[in-house]
Amino acid sequence: MGNLRSIEWAAFRDLSPEEKTPYLGDNGRIFHTLYAQQFSRAQLDNLGRLATRIRGIAKSKEGMLFLKSLLTHKRAMLYFTQPSTRTFLSFCAATEILGMPHGEVRDRATSSELKGESAEDSVRTFSSYFDLIIMRSELGGLAERMAWVLSNADRPVPVVNAGSGKDQHPTQALLDVYTLQRSFERRGGIDGKHIVFVGDLLRGRTVRSLACLLSNYEDVELTFVAPPSLQMAREILDQLDAHGVSFRLTDELLSLLPEADAVYMTRVQDEWDEVSGESAAIDVSRYSLGRGELDRLKQDAIIMHPLPRRNEIAIEVDADPRAMYWRQMRNGMWIRTALIATVFGCEGEIEAYDAGTMV
Ligand code: NCD
């Protein structure tokens, strides 16, 4: 039910993400998933291993039927009031893999919010009918508030933040780390790697969450490449400093490419423009990858993107073996399945099944 029952809302809200972490679990188990900062290295390793186990089991019909039997007694609610393709569909697929029926609201206009109901009352309603709430909202902090409300309700229900405002996207960071784990499996893992983030780093919630998650790794080097007005926020840089993570800020991509082990591209997040057309005035042409840039990249580097893309990665790059973004997207389905299985304590059953089929 989560330890959030033991703290008042105002006291919880004012804690740092690290201080909030102990309140998000339930007897050592992940209950709410709200911020990247809540995950430890051990949890990241366990989730990655479980995701890989699940994808192996899912290769056979018998394995799929086993996975489908795990959570038939639970129901999930997908409350996505902000546009989404991959996050929404991969969560749908993840719940289906585990046999969990799901309900959805994708537009406030189809819910009682149109009659004036608050988002908070809406989400509270879901907790009467469902056992897991996966939510994406343009309102930063709503997932956190709902986690507190739902931990303190008669029927506590876990909340998964599937993207909150400009702030956090922790499950995208999980799938990004899973992609890095798999890509660098035979090269000593993520430790010691140089990850270059490119684009709108100010308003891109995926880069904020991933940068925080990478502070779990030894000797990683992060470089943030963006036009000055879209550079990474001080608050995240301070957190990296506090964890002793080495990072650089620059507005020059080309000279960095030969050093990168992974290049994480992002689109301009102009939906957050405060003045209409403000982003259009920023020259982002130097923050893109085409055939010319590929020649500068190491042979074993990888190119990532949370998607959707615009023109920051040319279509011709898709055919390059270093383009990882389509596989990254599929990794999202497996890591989200692993996360849900973990929240409901199915890891043991999955491990036992896997061990049984291997003998
Ligand atoms: C991202 C998001 O919603 O923050 N998309 C996603 O979930 N893969 C990135 C984006 O929209 O640019």
Side-chain angles (χ1 to χ4, degrees), residues 87 136 169 172 205-206 267 269 306-308:
T87 308
R136 164 171 288 198
H169 195 346
Q172 175 73 41
R205 54 193 174 191
T206 70
R267 72 176 170 93
Q269 311 271 318
L307 301 175

Side-chain angles (χ1 to χ4, degrees), residues 55-234:
R55 77 198 295 164
I57 295 174
K59 285 190 196 310
S60 72
K61 181 173 178 183
E62 190 211 350
M64 259 305 192
L65 290 173
F66 158 74
L67 292 169
K68 258 194 181 313
S69 72
L70 289 172
L71 290 176
T72 42
H73 58 306
K74 300 284 181 189
R75 287 179 302 279
M77 177 66 198
L78 276 73
Y79 175 66
F80 275 59
T81 55
Q82 242 193 334
S84 175
T85 301
R86 278 150 285 266
T87 308
F88 179 81
L89 291 175
S90 64
F91 268 118
C92 279
T95 56
E96 277 165 19
I97 289 168
L98 295 167
M100 220 180 173
H102 73 265
E104 59 183 72
V105 165
R106 297 207 66 182
D107 183 351
R108 291 209 165 83
T110 64
S111 86
S112 283
E113 286 184 50
L114 196 72
K115 303 181 198 164
E117 185 168 55
S118 66
E120 186 166 327
D121 281 0
S122 243
V123 178
R124 196 172 183 148
T125 302
F126 308 148
S127 73
S128 301
Y129 309 135
F130 296 94
D131 304 288
L132 172 69
I133 295 172
I134 303 166
M135 56 184 288
R136 164 171 288 198
S137 173
E138 69 286 9
L139 305 170
L142 182 63
E144 172 183 276
R145 167 74 186 160
M146 290 324 302
W148 185 87
V149 169
L150 295 182
S151 276
N152 285 282
D154 292 342
R155 194 169 174 275
V157 171
V159 171
V160 175
N161 175 3
S164 54
K166 285 176 274 185
D167 183 38
Q168 282 265 351
H169 195 346
T171 67
Q172 175 73 41
L174 290 177
L175 79 89
D176 293 339
V177 157
Y178 182 45
T179 302
L180 291 164
Q181 283 170 347
R182 287 175 72 77
S183 303
F184 299 140
E185 208 166 13
R186 287 187 204 85
R187 291 168 54 200
I190 300 175
D191 298 320
K193 298 295 182 292
H194 182 190
I195 322 264
V196 174
F197 294 90
V198 187
D200 188 344
L201 308 183
L202 181 67
R203 302 172 296 183
R205 54 193 174 191
T206 70
V207 278
R208 292 164 59 86
S209 288
L210 180 56
C212 293
L213 214 48
L214 287 171
S215 57
N216 280 294
Y217 294 87
E218 304 292 327
D219 301 322
V220 283
E221 202 185 323
L222 310 185
T223 303
F224 300 112
V225 188
S229 60
L230 298 178
Q231 196 40 283
M232 185 57 102
R234 190 70 248 167

Side-chain angles (χ1 to χ4, degrees), residues 273-318:
D273 279 0
E274 278 162 22
V275 179
S276 163
E278 138 188 71
S279 297
I282 305 172
D283 177 12
V284 287
S285 56
R286 291 192 295 128
Y287 306 93
S288 58
L289 291 183
R291 209 187 296 277
E293 285 76 20
L294 282 185
D295 293 341
R296 292 174 174 253
L297 265 184
K298 287 189 207 166
Q299 277 315 310
D300 54 1
I302 61 166
I303 303 165
M304 299 172 69
H305 195 308
L307 301 175
R309 76 170 144 190
R310 288 184 183 162
N311 41 17
E312 59 280 348
I313 300 185
I315 305 286
E316 64 207 28
V317 175
D318 293 8

